[in-house]
Amino acid sequence: MLPNFGEIPRPNWIEINLDNLQNNICFIRNLLSEKTKMLLPVKADAYGHGSLAISKAAIEAGIDFLGVAHLFEAVALREHGIDARILILGPCLESDFALLLKHNLTPSLQDFETAKKLSDFCKINNCRIPIHIQIDTGMHRFGIHYEDFEDVKKICDLPNVEVEGLYSHFATADMPENAATDIQLVRFERMVKELEVSKMRPPICHIANSSATLLSSKTHYNMVRTGIAVYGYDPIGKIQDRFPLKPVLKLRSTVRALRNVSHGEGVSYGHYFVAKKNMRVATIAIGYGDGYMRGEPSKGEVFIRGKPAAILGRVCMDACMVDVSEIPDVRIGDMVECINGDLSKDISIEAFAKEHNTISYEITTRMARRLYRLYQYKGKLTGWNLLSFSHV
Ligand SMILES: *Cc1c(COP(=O)(O)O)cnc(C)c1O
C-alpha cells in the first residue's frame, strides 16, 4: 500500500524512521559511561535525513549537543526553534562573531589570533562565549598542530572566552587494522595531559566518531560525536551483527510503465543493456535527479512485491528500467523498494554503497530535494514535511 501524500501524489519518497533514530541513540548511550555526553552531527541536512525533524527527535531522546559544519546550518536550526547546544565543527572566522552571540552557538577555534579577537569581542559585548579548541592529531584538515601546546594554553588563558571543549578527529577509525588511529589517540592524550598538568583541562574532551565509539571505549573521553551509527548505518562494514543499529532511511519509488521488450532490443540511453531473451520491463520513477546513483549501467536491483528486479542499462534523470520478467503480477502504481528493503538485505544501504564504490554517507546526503519526506514517529507514518529543511 502506498502512503498518503495529501493532495499531490508523489512518485518517489524517503521514509525517515525517527523511532529507529531514537532507538539507536539509546543503544549507543548504553555503551557509554554515565557522564559521557553525546553529540549528533546534523550537518548536510542531517546526512540527508532532514535536520529539523532529526534534531527534534534526537533532543527528545536526550542528545546533549548537535553538531553542524557551517554557521548558517546552526542559524537555520535556531530560526526553527531548536534551542539545544550546537557546536559548529568547521572553522570560526571573525565575521561569525556577531551571529555566534546572537544565536548562542559554540564555535571551534583553531588559531590563537581568532580566539584572541573573539575574546576581545566578548569583552566589548560584555559576554563570555564557550568555545571548543580543535587539535589536528593527524587528519590534517582542521585544527591546531598537536604539539602546539603553547598556542592552546594561550587560548585557555584568554579572559573572555570559556574553553569548554578540546577535540580532534580521526582519519582512519573505520579501519580497525590501521595503526594511525592509535597514533592520533596518543597525540590527543598528550595534549589533554599537558593541559591537565597546567590545570587547564577543558571539561569536555572528545575525539570519537561512530567507528571509534563502537570499537574502543578508551576513545570516549567526555563526549562522543556519533553520526552515521545514529542514522543506523554500519561505518566499518562488519559490525551489523554485533550492534543492532536500525537504518533510519528507506528510499521508495513506484512503477510508472510496463512493456514487453523483444530479444535483441536495447534498453535506455546508450543501449548498454541488450535483451538476451523476450522480457517484461517495468519503468520506475526513480532517477539520478532524485539522488539515485547513475554509476555504471546495469548495476544493482530493486524489490517489487518482495521480489528482486535488476536494473537494466543506464539510470535516467527521472526513471529507470528494471526486469520484471519473474514478477508477473506487477502493476502500474506498485511500490518499489530501492534502498533498505523491508524484506531483503540485498538492498541495504551498505550493499548499495559498496556496489557504487562509495559510502553510505554519500548515498544519504545525495537524496534530492524533490523526494518527498515521510516521517515515522511513535509508530505512525506522517507527511511531516515541514520538519525537513528541504521543504521549508
Ligand atoms: C561528521 C563528523 C563526525 C561524525 O562522523 P561519523 O563517522 O558519522 O560518526 C564526527 N566528528 C566530526 C568533526 C565530523 O565532522
Side-chain angles (χ1 to χ4, degrees):
M1 216 188 58
L2 300 185
N4 178 5
F5 298 108
E7 286 165 33
I8 308 175
R10 293 296 194 115
N12 304 306
W13 66 96
I14 50 180
E15 284 176 35
I16 292 140
N17 191 321
L18 299 172
D19 299 330
N20 284 357
L21 182 95
Q22 294 188 328
N23 280 332
N24 294 340
I25 290 172
C26 290
F27 173 77
I28 293 167
R29 176 75 80 191
N30 284 331
L31 301 175
L32 309 176
S33 82
E34 214 167 292
K35 286 190 189 126
T36 305
K37 294 178 189 296
M38 257 180 104
L39 176 148
L40 176 64
V42 291
K43 58 201 185 191
D45 203 18
Y47 292 34
H49 296 67
S51 52
L52 198 47
I54 294 290
S55 296
K56 286 186 176 178
I59 292 163
E60 190 181 83
I63 210 93
D64 302 285
F65 269 83
L66 299 169
V68 295
H70 307 298
L71 173 71
F72 83 91
E73 295 178 305
V75 171
L77 288 170
R78 285 283 185 261
E79 285 176 345
H80 288 87
I82 301 293
D83 58 8
R85 294 294 307 275
I86 303 179
L87 177 63
I88 300 166
L89 299 161
C92 174
L93 303 184
E94 199 179 343
S95 50
D96 299 346
F97 292 174
L99 285 170
L100 291 175
L101 175 60
K102 177 175 177 201
H103 292 291
N104 189 21
L105 303 169
T106 307
S108 296
L109 271 295
Q110 39 194 337
D111 64 280
F112 173 72
E113 289 69 32
T114 311
K116 167 82 171 64
K117 283 182 190 155
L118 181 60
S119 180
D120 295 345
F121 171 88
C122 288
K123 185 159 196 279
I124 293 165
N125 289 280
N126 194 23
C127 65
R128 269 172 82 83
I129 291 182
I131 66 169
H132 287 224
I133 303 174
Q134 189 168 9
I135 308 297
D136 182 1
T137 55
M139 173 77 176
H140 301 311
R141 183 172 67 176
F142 299 128
I144 299 178
H145 189 271
Y146 61 94
E147 283 174 325
D148 275 352
F149 301 117
E150 287 319 305
D151 258 24
V152 174
K153 286 184 194 172
K154 271 163 59 189
I155 296 177
C156 292
D157 265 339
L158 287 168
N160 296 297
V161 291
E162 183 181 327
V163 181
E164 176 191 47
L166 180 86
Y167 77 103
S168 189
H169 189 53
F170 286 127
T172 61
D174 57 337
M175 304 153 83
E177 66 290 344
N178 194 313
T181 308
D182 282 335
I183 293 171
Q184 284 194 262
L185 189 61
V186 167
R187 291 170 175 173
F188 186 65
E189 178 60 22
R190 231 187 286 146
M191 178 64 80
V192 172
K193 278 274 144 60
E194 180 78 20
L195 296 181
E196 207 161 76
V197 168
S198 312
K199 306 238 176 318
M200 289 176 166
R201 178 183 162 142
I204 311 179
C205 298
H206 47 113
I207 190 167
N209 57 6
S210 293
S211 303
T213 302
L214 296 176
L215 293 179
S216 159
S217 60
K218 66 177 192 246
T219 65
H220 292 181
Y221 286 88
N222 311 106
M223 182 159 82
V224 297
R225 304 187 307 269
T226 41
I228 203 76
V230 170
Y231 297 107
Y233 319 122
D234 179 350
I236 299 148
K238 296 172 192 143
I239 56 169
Q240 272 144 327
D241 302 331
R242 273 165 59 203
F243 300 103
L245 298 167
K246 295 181 181 161
V248 170
L249 178 144
K250 295 173 188 172
L251 177 63
R252 299 291 182 257
S253 184
T254 42
V255 175
R256 313 307 284 189
L258 286 162
R259 71 203 58 254
N260 296 319
V261 171
S262 306
H263 179 211
E265 292 285 322
V267 175
S268 195
Y269 289 123
H271 277 181
Y272 288 98
F273 177 82
V274 176
K276 293 185 188 64
K277 57 179 170 58
N278 292 339
M279 53 197 305
R280 186 87 175 137
V281 171
T283 303
I284 65 173
I286 199 85
Y288 63 80
D290 303 291
Y292 197 65
M293 297 290 280
R294 180 169 176 268
E296 292 297 308
S298 300
K299 251 197 158 180
E301 60 190 11
V302 297
F303 272 70
I304 304 174
R305 296 188 178 236
K307 295 198 182 110
I311 291 171
L312 306 175
R314 278 265 181 240
V315 170
C316 310
M317 189 188 290
D318 315 300
C320 67
M321 280 65 96
V322 300
D323 180 6
V324 291
S325 304
E326 305 300 321
I327 318 174
D329 49 348
V330 63
R331 296 286 176 272
I332 286 174
D334 275 1
M335 192 262 277
V336 180
E337 299 184 307
C338 300
I339 293 181
N340 282 332
D342 292 317
L343 302 171
S344 164
K345 278 203 161 184
D346 301 345
I347 50 170
S348 73
I349 196 153
E350 292 87 356
F352 185 83
K354 200 167 170 197
E355 187 138 23
H356 291 278
N357 290 322
T358 183
I359 49 178
S360 53
Y361 305 72
E362 190 189 358
I363 304 294
T364 62
T365 53
R366 286 166 62 100
M367 291 295 133
R369 303 215 147 193
R370 76 170 174 183
L371 289 169
Y372 193 82
R373 264 95 173 144
L374 273 167
Y375 289 92
Q376 182 181 318
Y377 180 65
K378 299 208 191 300
K380 271 206 196 129
L381 204 56
T382 106
W384 205 6
N385 237 5
L386 282 177
L387 291 183
S388 167
F389 278 160
S390 323
H391 294 268
V392 165

